[in-house]
Amino acid sequence: MDNIDEINSMPDPSADDVRNDIAPGVSGAGCRCRRCDEPDAPRGNLHSFNWLEDIPDADPEWDIIEVQFKNTRKGFYHNSAHLPLETGDMVAVEASPGHDIGMVTLMGPLVKIHMRKANVKPDSPDIRKVFRKARPADIDKYEEAKARENDTMIQSRKIAEQLNLNMKIGDVEYQGDGNKAIFYYIADERVDFRQLIKVLADTFKVRIEMKQIGARQEAGRIGGIGSCGRPLCCASWMTNFISVGTAAARYQDISLNPQKLAGQCAKLKCCLNFEVDTYVESARQLPPRDVRLETADATYFHFKTDIFKKEITYSTDKNMAANLVTLDAQRVFEIIEMNRNGEKPLTLHREGEEKPAKKSEFVELVGQDNINRFDKKKKKKKKSGNQPKAEKPDRSDKSDKSDRSDRPEKSDKQRPRPPRRKKNGEGKPAQPDKKPDKEQ
């Protein structure tokens, strides 16, 4: 009850407090742990909400916790000293050599599920110990080592280029005590980096460890913005990578365009697998696509399927759209059953459901391509208010067109003026040149 009262007394988070690196609706977005409330707390990219926290622990002797380091690197450690830890605490854990600094992300029975998912056994020798809670001196040393990571990565890339190695160093991670650095690299071929390790050890004076990662792991560590406008799933909430194939796009009737299907890592987007199970389950309730529908006068082939509306469109030609007919799934099953019994309906539609074909209206395509369609029409000049408007003649009586006596005579102003002669420089009208008289 005390925890409930404490949560209810918390103020509502403002817009500035909302964490942008976690998608809304994802577990962990509402984390209110003690460490995450601190403004300078180091935050990771992958978060898990402990939904078994309030449930009494069935195994009180379970002492394994999950600790997260930079970006996607996590590990399991024994809390053999039974330290009073909470989610979000910074701890110093065993490493080789020295110690490392990480943040506690999970405790209790939920860790068992994560270990089973990662294929880690509780009695594995790879599970090391938790030394202590991180001291202020440990945090300061950890921050100093973390500040050197960017410069180390840029300098290591130049060294790899000088050694003509066909590899790309994507990220560098220093150990919490600063005695070791992990270089994550990408390479299409096998790389002999023994000389590179010697040069890096002499340059940075630390122990070097090289880890090869794929393009997806690099995107998860570096992060970025996807084509949907949101942070990458692999850098915000995904805990593991699942193989993605083009079959997922085919089930969802997505165009097999490599430029649209590829993500920031140049691989197929992970989000193709998010809804494919729903599409597959819905497709089971629809007739198979290789079945032909036989009628009394034609044979219809599958053309396309609308899974959401459960409607199927058939064509009389197998390779192109011809005489398209759209039916609901129930009607298609009825026709398939009739064909199995040797019956052929007159039409695909039910009696009384045939819709009259719409007549195509004439469309003037030539007028749409007129080159003057974007030109601005000249506006007529408005007459000044001082001049009286000329009265328009009454033309209601059009019986005798030849009778023009009713029309008003043109005034002097309305009569056309004779063309003016051009004047020379002295203001006199220019006279035509006179030809000299012929000598008699």
Side-chain angles (χ1 to χ4, degrees):
M1 295 295 295
D2 297 336
N3 295 336
I4 296 176
D5 296 335
E6 182 180 359
I7 293 175
N8 294 333
S9 62
M10 290 182 178
D12 294 331
S14 60
D16 297 335
D17 298 333
V18 177
R19 300 180 57 184
N20 297 326
D21 56 350
I22 299 181
V26 179
S27 298
C31 180
R32 293 182 179 272
C33 63
R34 180 186 305 173
R35 189 64 185 173
C36 290
D37 291 338
E38 298 179 9
D40 299 333
R43 305 179 188 273
N45 288 336
L46 306 181
H47 296 264
S48 299
F49 183 75
N50 191 0
W51 46 275
L52 297 177
E53 184 178 5
D54 297 336
I55 298 177
D57 193 359
D59 189 3
E61 296 181 358
W62 184 262
D63 60 348
I64 300 178
I65 64 174
E66 184 187 66
V67 180
Q68 178 179 340
F69 303 96
K70 181 181 179 182
N71 294 329
T72 58
R73 188 167 70 93
K74 288 186 176 183
F76 300 99
Y77 294 88
H78 281 291
N79 185 13
S80 56
H82 300 286
L83 300 173
L85 301 177
E86 295 182 4
T87 303
D89 289 341
M90 301 297 293
V91 293
V93 297
E94 182 183 0
S96 59
H99 67 273
D100 203 350
I101 303 296
M103 183 175 64
V104 179
T105 53
L106 270 184
M107 298 178 63
L110 195 61
V111 180
K112 297 180 182 180
I113 301 176
H114 281 233
M115 292 180 64
R116 192 182 310 138
K117 192 175 182 179
N119 295 325
V120 178
K121 297 182 179 180
D123 55 351
S124 174
D126 297 334
I127 301 179
R128 297 175 179 174
K129 299 180 181 180
V130 178
F131 288 152
R132 60 182 180 275
K133 284 188 177 181
R135 302 167 183 170
D138 297 332
I139 298 296
D140 294 340
K141 198 169 185 179
Y142 168 72
E143 293 295 340
E144 292 178 2
K146 190 176 179 180
R148 292 185 294 166
E149 292 177 352
N150 190 27
D151 297 337
T152 302
M153 180 183 65
I154 296 174
Q155 192 172 355
S156 61
R157 287 180 178 179
K158 295 179 181 179
I159 295 174
E161 186 178 358
Q162 294 175 359
L163 297 176
N164 297 324
L165 297 178
N166 188 15
M167 60 183 296
K168 175 187 176 183
I169 299 177
D171 193 14
V172 177
E173 179 183 0
Y174 271 93
Q175 197 169 268
D177 55 1
N179 296 328
K180 179 182 175 181
I182 304 174
F183 291 79
Y184 298 92
Y185 71 95
I186 301 173
D188 298 332
E189 301 175 355
R190 188 178 181 86
V191 179
D192 184 8
F193 46 78
R194 288 176 293 182
Q195 183 63 26
L196 176 64
I197 293 177
K198 294 180 182 179
V199 177
L200 294 177
D202 295 339
T203 304
F204 303 111
K205 308 300 181 182
V206 292
R207 186 173 178 178
I208 306 298
E209 180 180 351
M210 306 294 294
K211 281 190 178 182
Q212 185 175 2
I213 59 176
R216 292 185 176 181
Q217 285 77 9
E218 182 190 20
R221 297 190 67 84
I222 298 175
I225 302 298
S227 58
C228 58
R230 301 176 65 88
L232 298 180
C233 298
C234 56
S236 57
W237 62 271
M238 285 182 62
T239 57
N240 58 348
F241 293 96
I242 304 175
S243 60
V244 185
T246 55
R250 292 192 183 95
Y251 280 120
Q252 303 175 61
D253 291 334
I254 300 176
S255 175
L256 299 179
N257 187 351
Q259 296 179 353
K260 294 183 179 180
L261 296 181
Q264 297 290 350
C265 58
K267 303 292 182 181
L268 292 177
K269 295 179 180 178
C270 297
C271 56
L272 292 176
N273 284 342
F274 294 170
E275 299 178 356
V276 66
D277 294 337
T278 304
Y279 276 86
V280 172
E281 185 178 355
S282 300
R284 292 175 181 172
Q285 304 175 4
L286 300 177
R289 301 188 177 189
D290 56 347
V291 175
R292 304 176 183 180
L293 302 184
E294 300 287 345
T295 60
D297 56 350
T299 301
Y300 289 85
F301 302 89
H302 176 270
F303 182 71
K304 67 177 181 178
T305 301
D306 191 335
I307 295 180
F308 297 104
K309 295 182 179 180
K310 293 186 178 181
E311 294 180 349
I312 305 97
T313 303
Y314 289 89
S315 170
T316 54
D317 195 322
K318 190 176 183 179
N319 301 321
M320 60 181 295
N323 303 324
L324 298 179
V325 179
T326 303
L327 305 173
D328 58 286
Q330 185 179 1
R331 177 57 179 171
V332 175
F333 282 119
E334 293 176 0
I335 297 175
I336 293 175
E337 188 64 24
M338 293 173 65
N339 292 154
R340 289 177 181 175
N341 298 332
E343 301 177 5
K344 294 184 179 181
L346 297 177
T347 58
L348 294 180
H349 290 284
R350 297 185 181 91
E351 295 182 2
E353 288 187 358
E354 296 184 5
K355 299 179 181 179
K358 295 182 180 180
K359 295 182 180 180
S360 59
E361 299 179 357
F362 174 75
V363 180
E364 186 183 359
L365 298 178
V366 179
Q368 295 179 1
D369 297 335
N370 186 9
I371 60 175
N372 299 325
R373 64 185 183 277
F374 297 117
D375 295 344
K376 295 182 180 178
K377 296 182 179 180
K378 296 182 179 179
K379 296 182 180 179
K380 295 182 180 180
K381 295 182 179 180
K382 296 182 180 180
K383 296 181 180 181
S384 59
N386 298 331
Q387 296 180 358
K389 296 182 180 180
E391 297 180 359
K392 296 182 179 179
D394 186 8
R395 298 182 181 179
S396 59
D397 188 8
K398 298 182 180 180
S399 59
D400 187 8
K401 296 182 180 181
S402 62
D403 187 8
R404 300 183 180 180
S405 60
D406 296 337
R407 297 184 181 181
E409 297 182 357
K410 293 184 178 181
S411 61
D412 295 340
K413 293 183 179 181
Q414 295 178 354
R415 291 178 181 176
R417 296 180 179 179
R420 295 181 179 180
R421 296 181 179 179
K422 297 182 180 180
K423 296 182 180 181
N424 55 12
E426 298 178 358
K428 297 180 180 181
Q431 298 180 358
D433 298 338
K434 297 182 179 180
K435 297 182 180 180
D437 298 335
K438 297 183 179 178
E439 296 179 0
Q440 298 181 354

